[in-house]
Amino acid sequence: MAHTLAHGFADPVHEGQAVFRAAMDALSRPGQIRPLATTLAPPAPLIPELAALALALTDADTPVWLDAPLRAEPAVAAFLRFHTGAPLVDAPDRAAFALIADPARCPAFAAFSQGTPAYPDTSATLILAVETLSNSAGPAFAGPGIRGTAHLDAGPLPADWASRWAANHAAFPLGLDLLFVASARLAGLPRSARPVALEAMPCT
Amino acid sequence: MSPQGTVTVSAGTGYNFAYLDEGTKRMIRRAILKAIAIPGYQVPFAAREMPMPYGWGTGGVQVTAAILGAADVLKVIDQGADDTTNAVSIRRFFTATAGVATTTRTAEATVIQTRHRIPEAPLTEGQVLVYQVPIPEPLRFLEPRETETRQLHALAEYGLMHVKLYEDIARHGHIATTYAYPVEVAGRYVMDPSPTPKFDNPKMDDCPALQLFGAGREKRIYAIPPYTQVRSLDFEDHPFRVQRFDRPCALCGAEGVYLDEVILDDAGGRMFVCSDTDHCETRRADGHTGEAA
């Protein structure tokens, strides 16, 4: 059987810029859903949006960790190695970026690099492919980039997600930053996003 | 067909789109994303040599080059003016290497690169303000060692900065710092807003636009996300106050804006005019006039 490699960006300069800009907008305005158009057709279970962020942000300088479903498909590693040149690492704590196709089984946050007090920017960025992504419901957040409060409903996620995020935010300035991708869209959740308890929200 | 090494050459220049190579852009973009996630924290980055000397905005230019897309509309200001050397040359640089549209109108720009002013017209959600920064470390003149200032930021130990402001009061009776006035971002990091007049500090607070800061020689990038609390440091009995001008702009009559002093002759003649040239021209086009117009 002939094995051909799926194509990368047709126009790496402008497609890479557009994907980065969507990620920049998403992280600087947590809870807002951004459109993310891509013509990539990577090998499953790597979805096109996950591949687009990987191609736009990673290269030989950024160790990348793949979750179990992505690791189980050799074509995914071959695709990423060829198009990005990023070293694929087995230990999640060595990764600058983690690509997660099965967010419900996302490893504990402590497994990833949290950064150090002097260099909090050395923490990992997790990119999760979710099925639902909406800002009309879900947990509420406040903080930088958010006018008042914002909702972000992403799933499926582990049952202890709320306490994980509360701990991640409490460790600020250390902590992980998340990008959620779904079909043709993207949202960001930086460590600065503070979970807002529902009872603490003003009744209107 | 690997993206590494594939290059879209801008027509006529021989350079990649927006001058920088794609690997450099990715490195800067990653630094920008971390800077946004940790508001006010200075992310180290591998700043490149640019075809202009340090001090002419190499940091801001690299940030702009990394975020710029073909559809962006770029405005560049130098001390508020669109028509001074630094602004003109940077605008020309991106016209040549990226072919993007440029403007002098604040409202029409999607990316505004600035040296030491924030436009008078309120910024909006679709805009990014890129600051050129000479010395990004607010504690540098108090503690010269980078290893030490990094620890002070890690520990949020900003007593030194308050001592500096207190010494201002002890010497002058008021806080005499008028530019590069330190701010606290989102309740955590103390940050240098670059040498903008303190007049502009309140505009950074709760701003709808994303604010990015690039220091080329010092190799640091930092950010203030939109709608972020930015507080100018002060004391209860010496609250932060901005400069006031006792006369309006001599050309457009604007009040409550930052004015530049212009010497007119060698006999003491002078006038005060808007430092923001676009704001002044817009007002004059709308029919406002000052005493000298």
Side-chain angles (χ1 to χ4, degrees):
Chain A
M1 192 185 93
H3 186 81
T4 51
L5 195 72
H7 65 84
F9 288 138
D11 180 351
V13 171
H14 295 104
E15 287 183 62
Q17 188 272 342
V19 172
F20 157 73
R21 199 68 174 265
M24 182 181 91
D25 287 345
L27 267 183
S28 57
R29 298 171 200 277
Q32 288 196 15
I33 314 281
R34 298 276 154 183
L36 181 65
T38 175
T39 57
L40 295 177
L46 188 66
I47 66 166
E49 292 77 12
L50 209 48
L53 280 166
L55 265 55
L57 298 176
T58 70
D59 54 29
D61 292 338
T62 55
V64 170
W65 181 84
L66 304 179
D67 76 344
L70 293 174
R71 242 186 342 238
E73 175 51 62
V76 169
F79 175 86
L80 292 171
R81 279 205 183 94
F82 181 80
H83 288 298
T84 69
L88 302 178
V89 293
D90 293 328
D93 64 342
R94 287 195 48 222
F97 287 88
L99 305 186
I100 295 166
D102 183 5
R105 286 182 192 77
C106 177
F109 283 0
F112 298 99
S113 169
Q114 307 290 311
T116 64
Y119 293 94
D121 56 301
T122 53
S123 68
T125 303
L126 272 50
I127 309 175
L128 305 103
V130 290
E131 284 158 29
T132 50
L133 187 59
S134 135
N135 57 5
S136 55
F141 299 94
I146 303 170
R147 192 177 199 182
T149 56
H151 293 269
L152 188 62
D153 187 19
L157 293 172
D160 63 344
W161 190 259
S163 62
R164 281 192 196 196
W165 188 258
N168 190 55
H169 171 74
F172 187 93
L174 306 189
L176 307 179
D177 307 307
L178 313 186
L179 288 165
F180 294 105
V181 290
S183 175
R185 56 205 201 280
L186 159 78
L189 200 59
R191 69 193 83 176
S192 59
R194 184 177 79 248
V196 180
L198 286 171
E199 55 271 22
M201 288 176 70
C203 295
T204 49
Chain B
M1 277 295 285
S2 158
Q4 330 293 333
T6 313
V7 156
T8 303
V9 175
S10 295
T13 66
Y15 290 111
N16 187 30
F17 177 81
Y19 184 77
L20 294 175
D21 63 275
E22 291 303 299
T24 298
K25 285 186 198 167
R26 270 193 300 273
M27 174 270 295
I28 295 171
R29 287 168 180 169
R30 290 191 295 261
I32 290 172
L33 295 186
K34 286 301 177 190
I36 289 168
I38 318 166
Y41 164 75
Q42 303 162 50
V43 182
F45 81 113
R48 303 300 196 230
E49 293 269 343
M50 296 302 284
M52 59 187 72
Y54 288 130
W56 287 79
T58 56
V61 164
Q62 289 179 78
V63 170
T64 298
I67 68 171
L68 208 59
D72 274 311
V73 180
L74 178 69
K75 171 181 164 82
V76 185
I77 51 173
D78 170 10
Q79 304 278 14
D82 293 276
D83 54 2
T84 50
T85 311
N86 202 197
V88 171
S89 61
I90 291 172
R91 201 160 55 231
R92 209 176 274 168
F93 175 75
F94 282 113
T95 305
T97 60
V100 293
T102 60
T103 183
T104 59
R105 311 293 296 268
T106 300
E108 290 169 6
T110 56
V111 176
I112 303 172
Q113 182 172 328
T114 178
R115 174 174 175 271
H116 313 346
R117 272 313 309 280
I118 301 174
E120 304 289 357
L123 301 177
T124 59
E125 290 206 350
Q127 296 178 313
V128 183
L129 187 60
V130 178
Y131 295 74
Q132 301 172 202
V133 181
I135 309 282
E137 176 51 70
L139 303 167
R140 182 58 68 233
F141 293 108
L142 307 169
E143 169 51 67
R145 289 168 295 180
E146 170 68 14
T147 47
E148 282 298 306
T149 52
R150 202 152 268 283
Q151 282 305 312
L152 294 174
H153 283 294
L155 299 167
E157 174 49 71
Y158 296 121
L160 260 182
M161 187 57 86
H162 279 100
V163 169
K164 180 204 180 269
L165 296 175
Y166 169 75
E167 285 182 349
D168 264 11
I169 296 170
R171 281 199 196 114
H172 307 286
H174 62 276
I175 299 177
T177 304
T178 53
Y179 66 95
Y181 191 104
V183 294
E184 178 197 78
V185 182
R188 176 59 175 80
Y189 283 96
V190 164
M191 190 197 92
D192 185 331
S194 84
T196 49
K198 68 176 180 177
F199 182 88
D200 283 338
N201 276 20
K203 296 180 195 162
M204 308 175 93
D205 181 41
D206 206 32
C207 176
L210 170 65
Q211 300 172 76
L212 300 175
F213 299 76
R217 180 182 44 210
E218 303 292 322
K219 298 177 171 53
R220 297 289 185 273
I221 286 172
Y222 50 106
I224 304 175
Y227 304 117
T228 296
Q229 189 189 62
V230 179
R231 190 176 67 80
S232 300
L233 299 184
D234 62 357
F235 299 97
E236 278 175 16
D237 52 346
H238 284 272
F240 174 78
R241 249 181 264 150
V242 298
Q243 294 101 325
R244 294 204 181 281
F245 298 90
D246 54 10
R247 63 185 84 185
C249 169
L251 296 178
C252 76
E255 293 181 30
V257 297
Y258 195 75
L259 302 179
D260 284 342
E261 181 181 9
V262 178
I263 306 293
L264 297 174
D265 50 38
D266 60 358
R270 63 194 56 199
M271 67 175 181
F272 289 84
V273 297
C274 285
S275 116
D276 184 336
T277 52
D278 169 60
H279 184 72
C280 199
E281 282 162 16
T282 306
R283 279 180 54 86
R284 276 180 284 158
D286 291 345
H288 298 277
T289 51
E291 58 185 25

